Amino acid sequence: MYVVTGTTGNTGSVVANRLLAAGKRVRGIGRSIDRLQQLSQQGGAPFVTDLTDTEKLTAAFSGAEAVYVMIPPDPSASDYRAHQYAVIDSISASLERSEVTHAVTLSSIGADKTDGTGPVVGLHRMEERLNRIAGLAVLHLRAGYFMENTLAQ
C-alpha cells in the first residue's frame, strides 16, 4: 500500500491517480472527506487528517510500502515558517514511528541552500531531517516551478 499526502492537490492527485491506474492500493491523506470523494470513487482509501497531527499521521503511514510527502501551502498561516516546521516535525516523527522504508518528497530547486530562498528554506530543512531517518530510503524531487502556481497570482 502507498500513502499519498496532498491527495486533493496538484501533485498528490497525479501521484495517487497513477498508482491507482497501475493497480496499487492507495491511502490518500487530505483535510476534508468531501474533497477525498474522487479518490474513494476510484478505489483509494481516504484518510482525513491535518499533517501536523502526528498520532493520526503515524496511523495513516502504518503498513505503507512507501509514502509521498509534501508541505501543503497554507496562505492563512500567521507564521508560514512555523507552519512548515510543524509539518516537517510531524511527517518526520510519523515516518520514524511507522517504520516506513521508502519516501518521495516534493521539494524544490534551491533546497540545497540553507538560507536566502524564502519558503524553500523549509524544504531544505525537510530534506535534511528526512535524510537523517535511519532505514529510510528517500528521494527528493526538486521541481523547478509549476504553472499552477501562477493561478493564485
Side-chain angles (χ1 to χ4, degrees):
M1 185 249 317
Y2 296 86
V3 176
V4 178
T5 63
T7 306
T8 62
N10 292 323
T11 65
S13 63
V14 173
V15 172
N17 290 337
R18 295 272 174 122
L19 287 168
L20 288 167
K24 305 296 183 185
R25 289 183 22 228
V26 174
R27 178 179 295 150
I29 297 174
R31 291 175 279 204
S32 162
I33 192 65
D34 294 335
R35 294 197 59 210
L36 289 168
Q37 287 305 314
Q38 183 178 5
L39 173 77
S40 184
Q41 292 167 356
Q42 294 175 305
F47 194 101
V48 177
T49 190
D50 185 280
L51 295 184
T52 60
D53 186 334
T54 306
E55 296 307 315
K56 280 189 174 178
L57 198 56
T58 300
F61 289 175
S62 292
E65 182 176 336
V67 176
Y68 173 78
V69 297
M70 47 95 67
I71 303 172
D74 185 357
S76 67
S78 59
D79 184 339
Y80 190 77
R81 185 67 41 86
H83 165 73
Q84 283 184 309
Y85 291 174
V87 171
I88 293 163
D89 291 345
S90 180
I91 286 172
S92 302
S94 297
L95 286 169
E96 288 171 325
R97 292 178 187 175
S98 61
E99 299 180 352
V100 171
T101 58
H102 292 81
V104 175
T105 66
L106 176 61
S107 189
S108 174
I109 285 181
D112 57 313
K113 311 288 187 255
T114 59
D115 59 31
T117 58
V120 176
V121 169
L123 299 174
H124 171 81
R125 182 174 176 152
M126 179 173 65
E127 286 188 14
E128 293 292 308
R129 177 64 180 89
L130 297 186
N131 287 343
R132 291 193 307 268
I133 297 176
L136 181 67
V138 62
L139 172 69
H140 305 294
L141 301 177
R142 290 187 178 164
Y145 192 75
F146 294 108
M147 292 305 293
E148 293 84 355
N149 292 346
T150 59
L151 295 175
Q153 298 172 4

